[in-house]
Amino acid sequence: MDSRRLLRTSAIAAATVGLLISGCSSGSSSTSATASPKGARNAAPADAPTSEALTPYYTQKLSWRACGVGKFECATLKAPLDYAKPAGGSVNLAVSRVKATGPGKRIGSLLVNPGGPGGSAVGYLQTYAGIGYPAPVRARYDMAAIDPRGVARSEPVECLTGKEMDAYTEVDQTPDDPAEQAALTKAFKDFANGCEAKSGKILPHVSTVEAARDMDIFRAVLGDQKLYYVGASYGTFLGATYAELFPERTGRLVLDGAMDPSLSSLNMNRDQTAGFETAFQSFAADCIKQKDGCPLGTDSVEDASARMEKFFKDADAQPIPTGQSRPLGESLATTGVIAAMYDQDAWPELRTALSRAMKGDGAGLLALADSYYERDKSGNYANLMYANAAVNCLDLPPAFTGPAEVRAALPAFEQASPVFGAGFAWASLNCAYWPLRATGTPHRIEARGAAPILVVGTTRDPATPYKWAQSLAAQLSSGTLLTFEGDGHTAYGRGSDCIDTAINTYLLDGTPPPRDKRCS
């Protein structure tokens, strides 16, 4: 895969989904000191800083150094481990920037976040945003990023060894009998216990509220009066949370591939299930038109869906060889297909991988699954999925509390997606076994007093369904919706001059597009 698309397909894409392994739900037992978004909003400083304990963080001086990547600079930012006890210890957060290229007057620093939770913002900056964003934007902004706490270079959450993670990704996600159900619930418990054992200090303090407060410290240390920001997928929730906490410091925010903060975990997961069904139907419709044939048949989308379901069932019954010690079972096969749903540029690769898998070679689908999980050829995993679960499990109460609730919800999930429904339903169980109680709750974000905020939605987005963008834009008191009529996850920088021009204009002069503008 192209490195830029790979980043978008894995780091951004696992975004709110992580459904096949991490879920979008939260757990239940001990309580963190972190407040929920609404409570944190009320406790957040009106002017930075408001307490002597926070002053050292807001006034710290960063020691910038060359990163060894182009003209990028790197540094370490300190933030309180626990904002309820700012003097009780700190976390070290990786930050990076590249100076504005000119010409034109510098506007400020433009922070970027690719999603996740768990995607490395620093990695995204250095491999894509800092070199690939439109030249006029890079001319007038210092491009900057902070890896959120618990992610990548910022005291990353760790949970399993590479071999343990291999086994975890292979667990049957559609249990057919009590033994398989027990194996799946044990896998979720072992995953959660591993996170607690290896990351117990940081684990209670990786919520989105805390990450948003860290961004405010970074903003202040960079010398900006307002936050300028482009967030994709989960990054939209992070950006909206910032606007809720600090509306008076909110500058130009682009929220691309928006989440709906008012949704429960159950509704979010079910919506995403339907979103991936929509994306699969678009893939299938394109596939059956190909002159070189489609591995899912050439008769109809319905026929392609039936063949896809059969392929998954066959892989469940008899895993497909891959030339490695890891055969392609149903779970990895499903993950490989899901990975390609984020970007239609991956559809040709998926067609080839499916064709070969149906002939007994699962290596192509396994490679797609590995890209989703950020597994390298040596069997090492980035911490994407660990951070994904850790953040999601703090941000929202669980979708389900036990297997009986999953079984009761299966018909609704299967109605949302005959192809993916059962797997997505069972994967939504993971945070039921999390060692920490959720600190956030579903709620509307209005961010009253914030400057105009641009919300971007794609009509056939699999991971963040279009109706979420509609909802967030309506919730935000200063929200404007920009619509991309097309396929894939997120819209900026994906080939639409109409979208890019609207976003660039907003970033450069602060003028949002006309309300409800649509692009294709």
Side-chain angles (χ1 to χ4, degrees), residues 48 57-58 60 62 77-80 83 91 93-95 109-114 121 144-149 207-232 234-246 249-250 252-255:
Y57 295 109
Y58 274 89
Q60 65 186 289
L62 298 183
L77 180 80
K78 288 189 176 294
Y83 275 93
V91 292
L93 306 176
V95 297
S109 303
L110 182 64
L111 272 64
V112 295
N113 183 283
I146 174 173
D147 274 351
R149 52 178 61 208
S207 70
T208 297
V209 167
E210 289 159 305
R213 298 190 71 170
D214 294 342
M215 286 204 305
D216 193 57
I217 293 177
F218 190 32
R219 171 205 59 77
V221 170
L222 289 170
D224 290 333
Q225 295 300 308
K226 302 279 188 178
L227 180 77
Y228 301 101
Y229 175 82
V230 177
Y234 162 79
T236 67
F237 180 46
L238 179 59
T241 299
Y242 181 93
E244 179 183 36
L245 292 167
F246 309 105
R249 297 180 215 154
T250 297
R252 300 165 194 172
L253 265 60
V254 177
L255 308 180

Side-chain angles (χ1 to χ4, degrees), residues 8-9 12 18 60 66 74 88 99 105 152 168 184 205 221 232 247 286 288 334 355-356 375 397 414 434 437:
R8 181 163 57 235
T9 303
I12 300 176
Q60 65 186 289
C74 291
K99 294 291 188 66
K105 182 180 179 181
Y168 184 56
L184 180 59
H205 301 290
V221 170
D286 177 78
I288 63 179
T334 303
S355 294
R356 292 175 177 173
R375 180 192 192 274
E414 291 174 332
W434 202 247
R437 187 182 302 277

Side-chain angles (χ1 to χ4, degrees), residues 389-468:
V391 176
N392 284 332
C393 290
L394 280 184
D395 278 350
L396 287 176
F400 302 115
T401 60
E405 291 182 4
V406 179
R407 291 194 296 271
L410 277 172
F413 275 77
E414 291 174 332
Q415 181 178 5
S417 174
V419 176
F420 303 118
F424 278 23
W426 281 105
S428 303
L429 179 64
N430 75 313
C431 284
Y433 308 106
W434 202 247
L436 298 166
R437 187 182 302 277
T439 57
T441 56
H443 66 286
R444 290 173 57 85
I445 291 181
E446 298 181 0
R448 293 192 177 277
I453 297 173
L454 182 56
V455 179
V456 187
T458 298
T459 54
R460 294 185 294 279
D461 189 318
T464 52
Y466 177 62
K467 67 179 182 178
W468 292 2

Side-chain angles (χ1 to χ4, degrees), residues 166 169-170 315 318-333 361-363 365-366:
D166 278 347
T169 63
E170 294 171 14
Q318 183 61 54
I320 303 166
T322 62
Q324 302 181 34
S325 59
R326 296 183 301 144
L328 186 80
E330 181 185 16
S331 292
L332 286 171
D361 178 6
L365 275 181
L366 182 62

Side-chain angles (χ1 to χ4, degrees), residues 226-301:
K226 302 279 188 178
L227 180 77
Y228 301 101
Y229 175 82
V230 177
S233 198
Y234 162 79
T236 67
F237 180 46
L238 179 59
T241 299
Y242 181 93
E244 179 183 36
L245 292 167
F246 309 105
E248 73 285 355
R249 297 180 215 154
T250 297
R252 300 165 194 172
L253 265 60
V254 177
L255 308 180
D256 183 12
M259 289 181 62
D260 180 353
S262 70
L263 293 177
S264 68
S265 289
L266 176 59
N267 289 335
M268 186 176 294
N269 288 353
R270 195 166 49 217
D271 281 356
Q272 286 180 321
T273 303
F276 276 93
E277 179 67 22
T278 297
F280 176 77
Q281 289 180 9
S282 291
F283 163 73
D286 177 78
C287 185
I288 63 179
K289 295 176 182 176
Q290 298 303 311
K291 294 181 180 179
D292 56 353
C294 174
L296 298 176
T298 58
D299 296 331
S300 66
V301 169

